[in-house]
Amino acid sequence: MKSIKAYAPATVANVSCGFDIFGFAVEHPGDEVKLTMRKEPGVVITKIVGDGGRLPMATEKNTSGVAVQAFLKAIDSTQGVEIELFKNLPLGSGMGSSAASSVAALVAINHLMGEPFSQKELLPFAMEAERVACGSAHADNVAPSLLGGFVLIRGYEPLDVVSIPTPAELYCALVHPQMELKTSDSRLVLKQSISIKDAVIQWGNIAGLVAGLMKPDFGLIGRSLQDVVAEPIRSVLIPGFDELKAAAVHAGALGCGISGSGPTIFSLCTERALATRVGKVIQEQFARYKLNSEVYISKINLEGAKVID
Ligand code: HSE
């Protein structure tokens, strides 16, 4: 039976100021999904590796299964498909774990079915999977995982996704402490309204970050990596957040913030060696709170999800 494997990278959503509208892809880690055509109709998940038995095997509860089902429904197909999911992303990490699984599955099914959709056209199916995973169909993880690079979700209704060029010398340190935060919980704690004063600060930073990436102007990127909407509330859930942010900037990072809904921390730097140093500094800060952590250093991944086998 015909089968295919695809890879989808981890992502940093929000990028400080752009709650639900900014995200970028990193090179690694990422999830892999193998799809195999089967004779009997229906989508079944037969194997999940790397999740410690925690993800649902039921198709309609797993983001890879939801995405493939939405895809097949859209093309009116009863094709039977078997899914094997290889989880390399930690769960509840804020690194776009649920998104990487659905995106890898979508790229694989699109290829198996002769590419009826462009990569961008796969987005609504991946967003549907996000809704199942955390109750909200946000696109700031799935869009960069699918398309690569730094992505702006200019609007949701209708969906308007814009790729923003990034300077080649931008490196990201991701530091994942061994604790979990559920995105649905991290969304519930947010306030439903903000003051006009905070909105003005946020608008300035959002525009500043886009301008800084496009010019490029590293000082402007650094000054714009500030968030007065989600970070002040969510950072309380991350031990030592204020100190680790200050330590990262002191070590030379352009800026530092919560990756997605956390607890992973991202930091942007202008050199690989600097990103490595900053990653270590953040790791040391977590260690002060008896938290082990993994560090991933990567350039911005311009390629996004792809077929690998
Ligand atoms: N924008 C989403 C949030 C990303 O912050 O809730 C979740 O990874």
Side-chain angles (χ1 to χ4, degrees), residues 59-285:
T59 309
E60 64 286 352
K61 289 193 180 143
N62 186 298
T63 59
S64 60
V66 170
V68 171
Q69 270 181 330
F71 176 102
L72 291 173
K73 192 169 168 218
I75 58 166
D76 231 353
S77 169
T78 52
Q79 174 64 54
V81 181
E82 179 184 319
I83 301 178
E84 292 168 67
L85 172 58
F86 302 88
K87 277 305 303 171
N88 298 315
L89 292 189
L91 311 183
S93 61
M95 291 162 68
S97 179
S98 57
S101 299
S102 65
V103 166
L106 283 167
V107 168
I109 188 72
N110 198 32
H111 199 83
L112 266 187
M113 301 302 286
E115 312 222 323
F117 297 109
S118 71
Q119 202 99 328
K120 205 169 185 173
E121 285 167 346
L122 296 174
L123 258 179
F125 310 128
M127 288 169 67
E128 202 37 52
E130 288 293 74
R131 189 196 307 281
V132 169
C134 72
S136 132
H138 57 275
D140 49 344
N141 290 114
V142 286
S145 186
L146 202 45
L147 306 173
F150 187 105
V151 177
L152 157 69
I153 320 297
R154 206 278 313 153
Y156 276 87
E157 286 174 16
L159 192 60
D160 187 358
V161 173
V162 184
S163 289
I164 305 291
T166 52
E169 314 79 38
L170 211 51
Y171 290 84
C172 176
L174 278 181
V175 187
H176 168 239
Q178 273 168 15
M179 59 180 272
E180 281 182 25
L181 289 176
K182 272 178 80 176
T183 299
S184 48
D185 294 342
S186 302
R187 293 181 78 85
L188 276 177
V189 295
L190 296 176
K191 287 192 283 189
Q192 288 305 305
S193 57
I194 61 170
S195 68
I196 195 81
K197 182 168 167 266
D198 281 347
V200 170
I201 297 172
Q202 202 80 358
W203 293 327
N205 286 324
I206 289 166
L209 184 51
V210 171
L213 290 168
M214 294 185 74
K215 278 165 89 95
D217 179 335
F218 291 114
L220 181 55
I221 293 172
R223 295 198 299 285
S224 306
L225 287 174
Q226 305 292 345
D227 173 22
V228 295
V229 174
E231 186 180 290
I233 297 165
R234 287 178 166 177
S235 59
V236 180
L237 305 170
I238 302 174
F241 178 81
D242 291 342
E243 295 107 296
L244 73 79
K245 185 172 175 173
V249 172
H250 186 254
L254 292 174
C256 169
I258 303 170
S259 177
S261 54
T264 295
I265 300 296
F266 82 95
S267 180
L268 288 176
C269 299
T270 48
E271 284 170 37
R272 185 177 289 275
L274 184 57
T276 306
R277 196 154 69 237
V278 167
K280 234 183 173 139
V281 164
I282 298 172
Q283 191 169 44
E284 280 161 14
Q285 292 292 320

